[in-house]
Amino acid sequence: MKSKAIFNWSSGKDSALALYKILGEDQFEITSLLTSVNKEFQRISMHGVPVSLLEKQAEYLGFPLIKMELPKEPTMEEYREMMHKTMTEIKSRGVTHSIFGDIFLEDLRKYREQQLLAIEMKAVFPLWKKNTTELIHEFLDLGFKTIVTCVNETYLDKSFAGRILDKDFLKDLPENVDPCGENGEFHTFTFDGPIFKSRVDFEIGEIVKKTYPKPQTDEGGEDGEYVFWFCDLVAK
């Protein structure tokens, strides 16, 4: 009998490729997708994608969707508490594993594993330590389609928001930007591919600038703000 697992679905390319690989291995029964959503704006956290498109993704992937609704700007403690409550409830349904699309961020993997260990669940990382250049080309060669919904101005300018991620996009990336955006340089919305029953249709809306204050450390840290450009997607 296969172990039951929850899949942490961001709506983007890494999640889509990780899910593709997990389904191909056929070792887990995926009970549902789990996505963090901004409760006030009803959009996927960091990706900025409307919940209506997220729900279409889940429908066309064929999995139930669990939305973890977060406050507008949750503290780390609030996030931990909500995640602990959500995962404890999921575990009560016989789920033993939690699957992520992370690739090489060691601190993030350690954090996820520690939080799950506290409730005796295990983390799974099907893309872990894979070459990101090879991964993104595999993603494209498999026929996945994805659009860039958010860029961090520290790494990329406004013109990258709203572009389809294809081989021309990859050629235009500065050398210091990971091709999978694994350092948070950009985020995506995957709308078609081999694991979808149908294409998720949408229209491209306006490009919106948003700023966030840089977090302060115990030593004070530097003042300032992070600038992000979001491409709004409108469900058809």
Side-chain angles (χ1 to χ4, degrees), residues 98-155:
S98 186
I99 304 171
F100 301 90
D102 303 313
I103 305 171
F104 59 65
L105 298 179
E106 297 280 0
D107 289 347
L108 184 56
R109 173 170 179 153
K110 184 177 180 181
Y111 172 80
R112 298 198 197 283
E113 289 176 331
Q114 288 176 339
Q115 297 303 306
L116 288 169
L117 184 63
I119 57 172
E120 298 181 328
M121 288 184 67
K122 294 181 179 180
V124 180
F125 301 88
L127 305 184
W128 191 247
K129 292 298 185 181
K130 304 291 186 183
N131 180 287
T132 51
T133 298
E134 293 176 2
L135 282 177
I136 196 63
H137 283 283
E138 179 184 5
F139 175 85
L140 295 175
D141 291 343
L142 285 167
F144 281 105
K145 307 293 183 184
T146 196
I147 184 171
V148 177
T149 58
C150 171
V151 298
N152 183 337
E153 196 179 68
T154 303
Y155 304 97

Side-chain angles (χ1 to χ4, degrees), residues 11-218:
S11 81
K13 60 188 173 10
D14 298 340
S15 281
L17 186 56
L19 180 57
Y20 172 85
K21 290 184 176 293
I22 282 292
L23 293 175
E25 293 170 359
D26 199 31
Q27 295 180 0
F28 296 98
E29 175 191 343
I30 307 299
T31 61
S32 53
L33 308 178
L34 172 64
T35 306
S36 297
V37 171
N38 183 301
K39 184 176 181 178
E40 180 177 346
F41 299 112
Q42 286 298 293
R43 291 177 180 267
I44 300 172
S45 303
M46 284 312 300
H47 290 236
V49 175
V51 164
S52 57
L53 287 175
L54 168 65
E55 291 171 342
K56 279 295 181 184
Q57 273 188 326
E59 177 185 346
Y60 293 159
L61 289 168
F63 295 104
L65 175 66
I66 299 173
K67 291 173 286 187
M68 187 175 77
E69 294 190 325
L70 299 172
K72 183 178 179 180
E73 295 180 6
T75 64
M76 280 304 297
E77 185 58 33
E78 287 176 322
Y79 177 82
R80 278 194 295 267
E81 289 178 0
M82 292 189 71
M83 181 59 78
H84 181 82
K85 179 181 178 181
T86 300
M87 294 307 298
T88 299
E89 182 178 340
I90 289 171
K91 184 195 174 187
S92 70
R93 304 172 194 169
V95 177
T96 56
H97 292 74
S98 186
I99 304 171
F100 301 90
D102 303 313
I103 305 171
F104 59 65
L105 298 179
E106 297 280 0
D107 289 347
L108 184 56
R109 173 170 179 153
K110 184 177 180 181
Y111 172 80
R112 298 198 197 283
E113 289 176 331
Q114 288 176 339
Q115 297 303 306
L116 288 169
L117 184 63
I119 57 172
E120 298 181 328
M121 288 184 67
K122 294 181 179 180
V124 180
F125 301 88
L127 305 184
W128 191 247
K129 292 298 185 181
K130 304 291 186 183
N131 180 287
T132 51
T133 298
E134 293 176 2
L135 282 177
I136 196 63
H137 283 283
E138 179 184 5
F139 175 85
L140 295 175
D141 291 343
L142 285 167
F144 281 105
K145 307 293 183 184
T146 196
I147 184 171
V148 177
T149 58
C150 171
V151 298
N152 183 337
E153 196 179 68
T154 303
Y155 304 97
L156 295 170
D157 63 49
K158 176 183 177 181
S159 68
F160 284 87
R163 286 185 60 177
I164 297 297
L165 199 165
D166 54 17
K167 294 187 179 180
D168 286 335
F169 175 91
L170 297 175
K171 291 177 184 176
D172 291 341
L173 288 179
E175 290 185 3
N176 66 324
V177 173
D178 181 79
C180 283
E182 181 68 353
N183 296 303
E185 299 99 326
F186 62 91
H187 299 288
T188 60
F189 174 77
T190 301
F191 55 91
D192 202 3
I195 56 177
F196 288 84
K197 297 175 182 177
S198 182
R199 175 191 174 104
V200 181
D201 288 326
F202 60 89
E203 294 178 349
I204 297 177
E206 62 181 332
I207 307 296
V208 179
K209 178 182 179 181
K210 291 189 178 294
T211 59
Y212 302 90
K214 291 184 177 179
Q216 295 292 304
T217 64
D218 293 338

